[in-house]
Each structure stands twice: as structure tokens, then as C-alpha cells.
Amino acid sequence: MTAVDGGRRPIRFNAFDMNCVAHQSPGLWRHPDDQSHRYTDIDYWTELAKLLERGRFDGLFIADVLGVYDVYGGDDVAAIREGAQTPVADPLLLVSAMAVVTEHLGFGITTGTGFEHPFPFARRLTTLDHLTKGRLGWNVVTGYLPSAARNFGAADQLDHDERYDHADEYLEVLYKLWEGSWEDDAVVRDVDRGIYTDPAKVHHIGHAGKHFTVPGIHVGEPSPQRTPVIYQAGASPRGTRFAAENAEAIFIAGPSKRVLAQTVSRIRDELEAAGRDRYAARIYALATIVTDSSDEAAHRKHEEYLSYASVEGGLVFMSGWMGIDLSQYDLDDPIGDVQSNAIQSAVAAFQEFDDDGREWTVRDIGRWAGIGGMGPVFVGSGETIADLLADWQADTDVDGFNLAYAITPGTFEDVVTHVVPVLTERGQYPEEYVPGTLRHKLVGRGDRLPDEHRGARYRIGGPGSTALSEEQVRAGSLIDSH
Ligand SMILES: Cc1cc2nc3c(=O)[nH]c(=O)nc-3n(C[C@H](O)[C@H](O)[C@H](O)COP(=O)(O)O)c2cc1C
């Protein structure tokens, strides 16, 4: 992105959506201006993509879960009734259509490491990176809903840290396929000799690990970025370590500047410990902006949105995120010292006292999650919001904000109309997109993974490469070699 005045970092925006109704604002699907029920209509997505590109957002981040929020009350009834991320549709299938109507917007697609074998998954993402001309990002999630694991035949999901160990190997396989199978000049399209691809330049990856055995080649040819931009959103100690090794964009969520500042500083320390620059990954904090032409109009709008928000829906989400059935507590109980096998960072965030030194109760977190999930809601005119964002960025060291909606596309339209012009005028927002791939736009160092990134170790000839020579393959040493 272009430099901004005074050497300050620009404030970057990502939009946060999901292929479902009301995403993280339970109850707001009842608002007359909300169009989230159009999630099944491809025009909703292409219109949204064009809007976000007009606002020079870095990307559209599409969340996903493959289970039902059935922790609250011990069943799925409340989630189904409230439309709490149920029904939910596939995020990947939206991308091609949005790519056709945009030139710069990035697409951060969420897929869990527990639900699909890495071999076909690698091909699908390679396909989308080609079709988007290198604008694909993948949000790596390890899952948190036991209901998802049960529908894959497991009694429960793996333990929290074990899910990350499994994800480590999942990524190892992907890096080998994306980075270590095809040489850049493998495809020769030599008409005279009748050679489409030079077989000597396509390598079997020879992976044999604890969870996966993938001996062969990647079946897709290298896409503009090879490895899509890796996004991550886990902030527990194990999650942060995983992010520091892999992530290029990190999404965090917390209710206060204090919580966010601690998380950001932990992440940046871990990035350095992993041999990377403290600022090698862009960090976006979840937030929702309710804005209008004046502070008064924005506050009126917020009050109106609140009247549609569902506290029960908020508790359905929070129970799923925390892995704790909050229906069994009194609404005035403090959140206390509970342990979680779901999202540990979510629990920790609410166990912290907030910026005013107040302890959170169950009711507080239900209300809090009623609009935009676990992040703060900023309310005010474009000027007020610009002040708030600059203040939160200065105090937390985030690179930008991952913007959830109260209603869609209304919330995003309001941000583009009222906030983006003020930030741009103040020299705090990119004036134009940098040409090129999503990775280059975000980090400015080219299309491919930087050399110090974990994935680069798996390049052919790199220290982590298990690529086999033609002789080894012919000698049948594919699996034996490990
Ligand atoms: C802003 C944000 C968005 C997330 N989006 C998803 C998602 O779409 N799907 C999912 O399964 N997990 C999602 N998560 C959960 C994380 O990927 C991760 O699994 C979770 O935070 C547990 O890891 P932790 O205990 O290390 O924080 C999200 C988390 C945050 C903070």
C-alpha cells in the first residue's frame, strides 16, 4: 500500500463475513435493512466484493465452521432456532465469482485442518489461487466444535494442543506439495517435442508422517503465490506459536485494549523467536463499526441495532467458543476460573478484567457477543471512529481491523461512506492498492513466501524437503526412504 503521512502505519481493513445468516450478530437478521439472508444469492457476494474494493479493504475474510453450536443447553435447538451460524454454506465456492468482478480484493477462506485430507485440499487452493490471479488467503483453523468432530465419526475433537500438532503435519504436507513438488520452469509447453511438462522438474514429495502418507506429486501446477497467504486466528500460547511459524496475517479478538495489547506483544515476540521480523505478520483486531453522518445519528442506529440483538444467541456463540454451557450459570455469575478445550484465548480474554477494572459476568458476555462477536463496537461519526481507530492502533500495535457487521451490507456501506474518506484525508488509510498478488499487497516483498518462512524450508533442495529424485522414484524407494 502507499506510504502515509508522517511515517505512521496505515490503518488496514478486512471485512469479516460468513456464508450464513447474521454471522456474529445474532438476532439482527430480523432488522428490515439486513440482507444476510441473501447469503445463498451469488449477487450478494459479488456486490459485497465490489463495495469492499471501492473501500480499498485488504480482503474479505470468510469464516467457517462445520458443526453446530450445541454446547449451550446441551443441544442444537437454540442454534437452529436463532439461525446462529446454522444453516451455513461452503466458503470456497464463493471465491471465483467475486474474483471476476474485482481486481485487487483478497479472499481469506477458512477451512479446518481436521476435515479434509491435505492432498485434495492442496489442489483446490491451487486452483483458486490461479483463478484469483494470486489473491487467495487461507485461514487455518483447527476447529473448536465437538459436534463437527462427531459427524466425522470421532467421539470428540482432539485435545486443544494436539489439534495444533495435527495441523503442523497438515501444513508440512501442504508446503511440500505447494513449494517442493514443481520447479518454476517445469511446464515447458514445447510444441515441437510434444512435451507439456518436463517430468524431471516435477518431484514426488515422499511424505510419510504420523497422520498422513503422501508419496506423490502435487497434481496442480504452481499458482502465482504457490502457498496462499496463510491467515490464522488462534491466540492461546500453543496457537500463538503455531501462528508465529506459519501466519502472514493474524486475526485476534478481545474486549479491551489491554487484552489486545498483551496478545499483540506476545505474537510479535513469538514471531521473533521463530526467526521472523516482529512485523512479518499483519495483525487485525476484530471490531464492529456503527457510523453515520453525526455522533447522534450513529448512537441512534446503535440503539436500534441493540434492540434486535439476541442475548441468547450471543450465549449460544460464547458457549461454543468457550466450550462451556453458559445456560447452567446465573446471568450475574462472574465468568471465573473455567478451563476450556475449545478456544482457550476466548476464555482468557473474558477472565481478564476490562479497561475499567470490572469483572465480566455471564450476562455481560451474552450482551457483548450480541453485535459483532468478541470484538468492541465503535459508535460515532466518521471523525469519531477515525479517532478511536487511531487510538486503539497506537495503544495495541495492531496493523488494522477485521470488521464484523451488525447488518450487511449496511455496516460495510457505512464504513466506506463515512470512515474511509476521513482516514484517507488524514493520511491514515491507503490511497490506492499496490498492484500484484495478495501477499505482495500485504507485505510488499513479492508473490512467494519469504525465505525465512517455515514453508520455504520445504522448497526443492531446502532443509525440510523430502522431494525424491527420479532415480529414487524408479527404484521404488518412495516410502522406504523415510
Ligand atoms: C477473529 C477470529 C475468527 C475465527 N474464525 C474461525 C473460523 O472461521 N472457524 C473456526 O473454526 N475457528 C475460527 N476461529 C478460532 C481459531 O481459529 C482457533 O481455532 C481458536 O481461536 C482456538 O485456538 P486458541 O485456543 O489457540 O485461541 C476464529 C478466532 C478468531 C479470534
Side-chain angles (χ1 to χ4, degrees):
M1 297 274 178
T2 48
V4 291
D5 287 351
R8 272 175 304 175
R9 266 186 298 166
I11 290 172
R12 314 180 76 107
F13 283 159
N14 236 285
F16 195 29
D17 202 340
M18 188 162 173
N19 201 353
C20 68
V21 166
H23 187 199
Q24 298 209 108
S25 294
L28 273 117
W29 56 266
R30 297 173 298 160
H31 192 286
D33 295 337
D34 180 62
Q35 296 186 26
S36 65
H37 60 276
R38 289 180 59 214
Y39 77 93
T40 53
D41 174 356
I42 194 68
D43 295 338
Y44 164 75
W45 295 100
T46 52
E47 288 161 21
L48 178 65
K50 285 192 277 190
L51 168 70
L52 298 175
E53 184 155 289
R54 207 165 68 236
R56 301 187 297 286
F57 278 51
D58 283 344
L60 170 60
F61 171 27
I62 308 183
D64 193 34
V65 294
L66 202 45
V68 181
Y69 286 78
D70 60 2
V71 177
Y72 181 82
D75 60 36
D76 52 20
V77 173
I80 294 171
R81 185 178 54 238
E82 294 269 349
Q85 299 181 5
T86 309
V88 60
D90 190 312
L92 266 79
L93 298 176
L94 304 171
V95 173
S96 298
M98 292 192 288
V100 172
V101 298
T102 53
E103 187 186 345
H104 294 291
L105 188 71
F107 303 102
I109 303 307
T110 301
T111 310
T113 50
F115 308 134
E116 182 175 349
H117 194 283
F119 182 66
F121 183 66
R123 185 181 69 154
R124 288 204 295 143
L125 292 207
T126 293
T127 307
L128 273 184
D129 197 48
H130 279 298
L131 296 182
T132 58
K133 299 184 166 56
R135 287 187 281 147
L136 188 69
W138 169 38
N139 177 36
V140 186
V141 299
T142 52
Y144 51 81
L145 291 174
S147 64
R150 282 198 300 274
N151 284 304
F152 282 80
D156 195 354
Q157 56 188 345
L158 295 174
D159 279 347
H160 179 272
D161 287 9
E162 229 182 306
R163 295 202 293 276
Y164 280 111
D165 296 341
H166 176 273
D168 268 337
E169 190 187 337
Y170 195 92
L171 277 168
E172 185 181 330
V173 175
L174 290 173
Y175 290 141
K176 286 176 178 172
L177 291 168
W178 285 328
E179 301 289 328
S181 185
W182 290 59
E183 295 185 33
D184 278 338
D185 53 356
V187 175
V188 289
R189 281 187 223 105
D190 186 329
V191 174
D192 296 335
R193 291 191 299 153
I195 300 172
Y196 194 83
T197 302
D198 180 353
K201 297 193 168 180
V202 183
H203 304 275
H204 295 238
I205 66 164
H207 179 86
K210 180 173 171 200
H211 302 285
F212 305 106
T213 299
V214 183
I217 65 164
H218 183 35
V219 290
E221 73 176 277
S223 62
Q225 302 180 109
R226 282 185 179 256
T227 298
V229 173
I230 302 289
Y231 292 39
Q232 210 271 346
S236 64
R238 181 66 181 90
T240 307
R241 193 147 50 82
F242 180 83
E245 287 200 323
N246 299 290
E248 302 172 274
I250 299 175
F251 296 102
I252 60 173
S256 66
K257 286 198 265 191
R258 218 168 76 115
V259 169
L260 292 176
Q262 284 169 1
T263 306
V264 172
S265 114
R266 263 196 310 115
I267 292 172
R268 300 218 188 275
D269 288 349
E270 288 280 351
L271 281 164
E272 273 187 339
R276 300 171 68 197
D277 188 273
R278 285 182 80 71
Y279 291 88
R282 301 287 180 204
I283 304 179
Y284 301 82
L286 182 63
T288 308
I289 291 173
V290 178
T291 184
D292 209 312
S293 52
S294 67
D295 283 345
E296 298 71 41
H299 281 285
R300 271 199 305 278
K301 194 179 265 181
H302 183 225
E303 285 304 316
E304 199 212 354
Y305 289 163
L306 281 174
S307 72
Y308 286 93
S310 161
V311 173
E312 188 188 42
L315 291 174
V316 167
F317 283 142
M318 289 308 306
S319 296
W321 294 333
M322 294 179 152
I324 301 157
D325 178 4
L326 293 172
S327 75
Q328 58 189 338
Y329 293 93
D330 190 276
L331 285 176
D332 294 315
D333 282 348
I335 196 61
D337 189 23
V338 288
Q339 288 298 317
S340 166
N341 187 31
I343 304 185
Q344 289 184 353
S345 52
V347 181
F350 289 97
Q351 284 169 336
E352 279 280 334
F353 294 87
D354 68 13
D355 287 340
D356 302 325
R358 202 170 47 100
E359 197 176 0
W360 285 75
T361 64
V362 171
R363 188 196 312 277
D364 287 335
I365 60 175
R367 275 214 196 110
W368 181 262
I371 295 183
M374 284 189 279
V377 180
F378 297 135
V379 185
S381 65
E383 285 75 14
T384 301
I385 299 292
D387 290 343
L388 279 166
L389 295 175
D391 188 43
W392 278 60
Q393 185 186 46
D395 288 354
T396 63
D397 196 23
V398 296
D399 295 287
F401 296 88
N402 179 33
L403 299 182
Y405 66 78
I407 63 166
T408 186
T411 297
F412 299 120
E413 281 167 354
D414 286 347
V415 170
V416 172
T417 305
H418 299 292
V419 181
V420 168
V422 177
L423 286 173
T424 309
E425 171 76 12
R426 292 183 183 183
Q428 288 181 292
Y429 196 77
E431 285 177 12
E432 57 189 20
Y433 281 108
V434 169
T437 59
L438 177 59
R439 177 169 288 115
H440 188 61
K441 286 184 203 313
L442 285 184
V443 188
R445 291 179 54 198
D447 302 337
R448 301 281 167 84
L449 284 176
D451 290 343
E452 64 278 11
H453 188 280
R454 174 187 171 205
R457 294 206 290 271
Y458 299 98
R459 288 184 183 139
I460 298 153
S465 168
T466 48
L468 303 178
S469 66
E470 272 189 288
E471 292 69 37
Q472 283 173 302
V473 175
R474 255 187 254 110
S477 58
L478 223 50
I479 302 294
D480 300 347
S481 64
H482 297 276

